[in-house]
């Protein structure tokens, strides 16, 4: 097996997969070499079957900070100790568990935002996202998992990034566009929903609501 | 007084920042308070025109920053309203001529000598906007009832929040009750719902506003102006008084009533 490889994930961006024979210096020089390629992309590192040392993670994070054009979004790993280390360093990290059908891995990040997102603000989460406020026009929300908004959605919500199933719920919905698991729904102006729920299941986007206005 | 240094901003241009600044400042000065209005829109100076003081400008804010003259000496005294003073913007320079720290210094120089200091912010969210907002302890966001203006006002609010400023207060400007009744314009409630800010005033569209501005006479000085009345109310609210909002709804016409009766909307 190669030491590491790059692959594009369908939505998140570019993923670097490193395996058992992880070598920090090689990863660094590899990334330096590919910096141009990675420019502007969102980037995650997937560490498989290898436990990271604390000083390795520290050095890697320091190095990633120095790559200005790259948006580093966090780690993915199948080793529990790595996730614990990441939490210590306050870096997002998804733990991949054995393939469990349906439901999400319980170890995924759940982020709670206790404010209204105003125009120009953006919140992301590798897992689920709960917003205790509104998502105003011009604000953006991106989550690897589901998005729950305890308020009105008038901005752009992207949920279930890189997943097959996901849902978005909102008390009130009046946004021009919505994306779940790569599937997009567009809405007419003034089209609005109360008790809105949109979900993707078996590749189809379905919308439920209590009341619809136009 | 907590609301001493007030910055009027909006994000979007042309929503009535300068008009609101000039009128509210005039209204407060007319009540006997000492008021200074600073035009922070360097390079695109306008506030002097709204106040009708364009022919009296000798020094401007850039002269003050350069140390040519102290801030107090550069102030232009209003010709109608005593107690009102204007620190004009420079027309020949640009936004980079005044830095946030310069503005803070100017405001500090004037703080003890005035009851209110208004800063008329430029449009946009760049340097000039930050210069105008930095010294303020109260921020007024002016929005028109249209989506572009609301989105920009929302953005500005977010930036003010990030700068650690108190939550801005909102003035909904140029609302046309006739258009609202016909469903052609957003309602005040729609604007407030999205921005969720404390409402400081609702200013109706006033067909005479253009002529007040062209004559350089603030509308608040005229009893007959409805926008003037709304802006006088804003001044009262800044003084901490509870003033009910004007009822600006239009009576439904006879035809509309008939239409409604027969199920039309």
């Amino acid at each position: 097996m190669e030491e590491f490889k790059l692959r594009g994930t369908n939505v998140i961006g570019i993923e670097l997969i490193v395996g058992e024979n992880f070598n920090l210096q090689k990863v660094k020089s590899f990334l330096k070499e590919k910096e141009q390629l990675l420019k502007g992309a969102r980037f995650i590192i997937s560490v498989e079957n290898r436990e990271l040392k604390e000083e390795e993670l520290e050095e890697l994070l320091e190095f990633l900070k120095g790559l200005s054009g790259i948006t580093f979004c966090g780690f993915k790993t199948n080793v529990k100790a790595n996730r614990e280390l990441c939490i210590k360093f306050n870096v997002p990290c998804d733990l991949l568990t054995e393939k469990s059908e349906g439901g999400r891995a319980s170890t995924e990040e759940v982020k709670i935002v206790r404010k209204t997102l105003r125009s120009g603000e953006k919140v992301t989460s590798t897992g689920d996202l709960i917003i205790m406020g509104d998502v105003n026009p011009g604000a953006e929300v991106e989550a690897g998992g589901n998005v729950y908004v305890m308020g009105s959605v008038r901005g752009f919500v992207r949920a279930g990034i890189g997943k097959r199933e996901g849902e978005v719920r909102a008390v009130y919905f009046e946004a021009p566009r919505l994306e779940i698991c790569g599937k997009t729904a567009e809405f007419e102006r003034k089209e609005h929903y109360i008790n809105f729920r949109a979900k993707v299941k078996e590749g189809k986007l379905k919308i439920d609501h209590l009341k619809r206005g136009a | 007084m907590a609301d001493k240094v007030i910055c009027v901003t909006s994000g979007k241009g042309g929503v009535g920042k300068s008009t609101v600044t000039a009128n509210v400042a005039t209204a407060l000065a007319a009540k006997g308070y000492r008021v200074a209005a600073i035009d922070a829109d360097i390079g695109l100076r306008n506030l002097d025109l709204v106040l009708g003081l364009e022919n009296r400008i000798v020094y401007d804010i850039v002269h003050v920053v350069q140390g040519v003259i102290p801030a107090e000496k550069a102030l232009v005294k209003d010709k109608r309203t005593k107690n009102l003073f204007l620190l004009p913007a420079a027309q020949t320079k640009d936004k980079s001529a005044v830095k946030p720290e310069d503005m803070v210094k100017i405001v500090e120089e004037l703080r003890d000598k005035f009851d209110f200091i208004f800063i008329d912010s430029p449009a946009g969210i760049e340097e000039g906007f930050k210069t105008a907002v930095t010294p303020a302890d109260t921020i007024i966001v002016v929005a028109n009832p249209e989506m572009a203006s609301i989105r920009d006002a929302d953005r500005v609010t977010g930036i003010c929040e990030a700068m650690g400023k108190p939550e801005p207060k909102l003035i909904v400007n140029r609302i046309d009750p006739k258009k609202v009744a016909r469903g052609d314009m957003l309602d005040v409630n729609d604007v407030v719902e999205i921005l969720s800010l404390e409402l400081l005033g609702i200013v109706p569209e006033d067909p005479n506003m253009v002529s007040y501005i062209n004559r350089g006479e603030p509308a608040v000085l005229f009893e007959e102006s409805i926008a003037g009345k709304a802006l006088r109310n804003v001044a009262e609210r800044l003084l901490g008084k509870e003033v009910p909002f004007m009822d600006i709804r239009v009576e439904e016409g006879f035809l509309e009533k008939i239409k409604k009766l027969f199920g039309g909307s």
Side-chain angles (χ1 to χ4, degrees):
Chain A
M1 187 187 145
E2 281 175 66
E3 274 174 277
F4 31 76
K5 59 179 180 195
L6 277 176
R7 74 162 193 201
T9 64
N10 49 356
V11 203
I12 285 197
I14 296 174
E15 183 178 359
L16 173 72
I17 301 169
V18 293
E20 284 149 53
N21 34 12
F22 170 89
N23 177 315
L24 185 60
Q25 296 316 319
K26 281 190 184 164
V27 169
K28 277 165 78 172
S29 59
F30 179 73
L31 285 178
K32 200 83 213 163
E33 195 183 302
K34 301 278 192 233
E35 195 180 350
Q36 275 308 316
L37 176 77
L38 293 168
K39 204 148 231 165
R42 286 178 303 156
F43 177 61
I44 56 174
I45 296 179
S46 184
V47 185
E48 286 170 5
N49 309 325
R50 163 73 150 74
E51 208 173 300
L52 286 176
K53 294 195 194 72
E54 193 168 332
E55 56 272 17
E56 277 178 343
L57 181 67
E58 205 173 348
E59 194 182 335
L60 185 58
L61 288 173
E62 203 51 47
F63 172 72
L64 285 164
K65 249 184 246 161
L67 299 176
S68 52
I70 300 174
T71 317
F72 179 62
C73 297
F75 289 96
K76 262 163 87 175
T77 186
N78 56 359
V79 182
K80 207 168 172 211
N82 285 345
R83 177 172 158 84
E84 274 151 22
L85 194 61
C86 284
I87 291 171
K88 200 169 144 193
F89 279 88
N90 214 358
V91 184
C93 180
D94 273 0
L95 187 62
L96 306 167
T97 46
E98 293 303 309
K99 285 215 167 64
S100 57
E101 281 308 312
R104 54 176 190 84
S106 59
T107 47
E108 235 175 30
E109 178 185 34
V110 175
K111 197 184 219 173
I112 303 177
V113 179
R114 287 185 178 82
K115 62 179 245 166
T116 287
L117 299 182
R118 296 194 177 272
S119 180
E121 285 182 282
K122 184 172 181 178
V123 175
T124 56
S125 163
T126 54
D128 290 355
L129 191 52
I130 300 165
I131 294 164
M132 313 286 226
D134 299 341
V135 179
N136 278 355
E140 285 181 32
V141 170
E142 281 184 357
N146 301 331
V147 175
Y148 305 100
V149 182
M150 310 294 164
S152 309
V153 173
R154 291 188 173 86
F156 183 44
V157 175
R158 248 172 142 191
I161 298 175
K163 291 209 174 67
R164 283 155 177 268
E165 287 183 4
E167 67 170 350
V168 171
R169 288 180 189 232
V171 176
Y172 179 88
F173 185 93
E174 195 186 345
R177 217 156 75 84
L178 172 75
E179 195 181 304
I180 307 174
C181 306
K183 303 247 175 290
T184 339
E186 281 170 24
F187 302 90
E188 293 298 317
R189 269 193 192 189
K190 297 206 169 165
E191 193 176 342
H192 59 265
Y193 301 92
I194 293 162
N195 203 359
F196 176 85
R197 179 187 180 193
K199 64 173 179 180
V200 168
K201 208 173 178 185
E202 284 152 9
K204 284 201 185 78
L205 190 126
K206 241 184 83 181
I207 291 170
D208 280 330
H209 53 88
L210 206 61
K211 203 172 132 193
R212 176 189 181 154
Chain B
M1 219 176 293
D3 297 346
K4 186 162 187 174
V5 183
I6 301 166
C7 178
V8 181
T9 187
S10 71
K12 191 177 176 298
V15 296
K17 286 179 296 297
S18 297
T19 312
V20 166
T21 310
N23 279 284
V24 178
T26 304
L28 286 167
K31 289 178 81 70
Y33 294 92
R34 275 177 68 80
V35 183
I38 302 174
D39 189 349
D41 201 349
I42 325 289
L44 296 167
R45 110 175 144 205
N46 280 331
L47 195 56
D48 54 329
L49 287 172
V50 186
L51 288 166
L53 296 175
E54 67 277 10
N55 51 1
R56 300 195 173 190
I57 297 173
V58 182
Y59 295 104
D60 59 47
I61 192 165
V62 174
H63 292 128
V64 177
V65 171
Q66 289 168 343
V68 176
I69 189 168
E72 214 189 339
K73 292 261 168 61
L75 293 171
V76 181
K77 197 175 178 315
D78 193 77
K79 54 188 170 196
R80 260 169 265 98
T81 322
K82 94 179 173 66
N83 293 336
L84 177 60
F85 297 84
L86 168 72
L87 181 56
Q91 184 67 357
T92 50
K93 298 286 189 317
D94 64 46
K95 304 282 184 288
S96 60
V98 181
K99 299 262 179 295
E101 54 272 23
D102 298 328
M103 193 60 98
V104 170
K105 223 173 109 197
I106 291 169
V107 168
E108 282 316 309
E109 265 185 76
L110 299 175
R111 192 182 272 272
D112 296 336
K113 300 174 184 90
F114 289 92
D115 298 310
F116 288 98
I117 298 170
F118 281 86
I119 303 170
D120 183 18
S121 146
I125 51 170
E126 292 81 19
E127 212 184 342
F129 156 76
K130 291 199 171 119
T131 303
V133 169
T134 304
D137 37 45
T138 298
I139 294 160
I140 296 177
V141 168
V142 182
N144 290 356
E146 42 141 334
M147 277 321 290
S149 170
I150 291 170
R151 192 187 284 191
D152 291 3
D154 196 41
R155 179 91 168 101
V156 160
T157 306
I159 295 171
C160 292
E161 249 169 43
M163 287 171 81
K165 294 285 171 190
E167 188 172 84
K169 294 173 181 170
L170 174 69
I171 293 180
V172 181
N173 196 19
R174 301 192 69 173
I175 192 149
D176 188 335
K178 280 195 203 113
K179 285 188 187 159
V180 173
R182 265 184 288 156
D184 291 343
M185 188 182 258
L186 291 172
D187 192 357
V188 176
N189 292 333
D190 299 330
V191 183
V192 174
E193 204 204 311
I194 297 178
L195 294 175
S196 51
L197 296 175
E198 185 194 324
L199 193 58
L200 191 63
I202 304 168
V203 184
E205 176 77 59
D206 187 338
N208 299 323
M209 199 46 126
V210 179
S211 74
Y212 290 128
I213 293 168
N214 285 342
R215 294 205 307 265
E217 298 174 330
V220 284
L221 298 174
F222 300 89
E223 269 311 312
E224 68 274 16
S225 164
I226 43 165
K229 181 162 184 264
L231 288 159
R232 279 200 299 279
N233 287 347
V234 169
E236 295 284 344
R237 289 186 197 107
L238 278 177
L239 293 168
K241 292 194 189 122
E242 293 241 350
V243 188
F245 290 101
M246 271 161 48
D247 190 5
I248 51 167
R249 277 172 303 177
V250 279
E251 274 297 305
E252 269 179 83
F254 178 69
L255 262 174
E256 277 82 42
K257 274 186 188 160
I258 297 280
K259 264 190 212 158
K260 256 194 187 155
L261 212 59
F262 287 101
S265 57

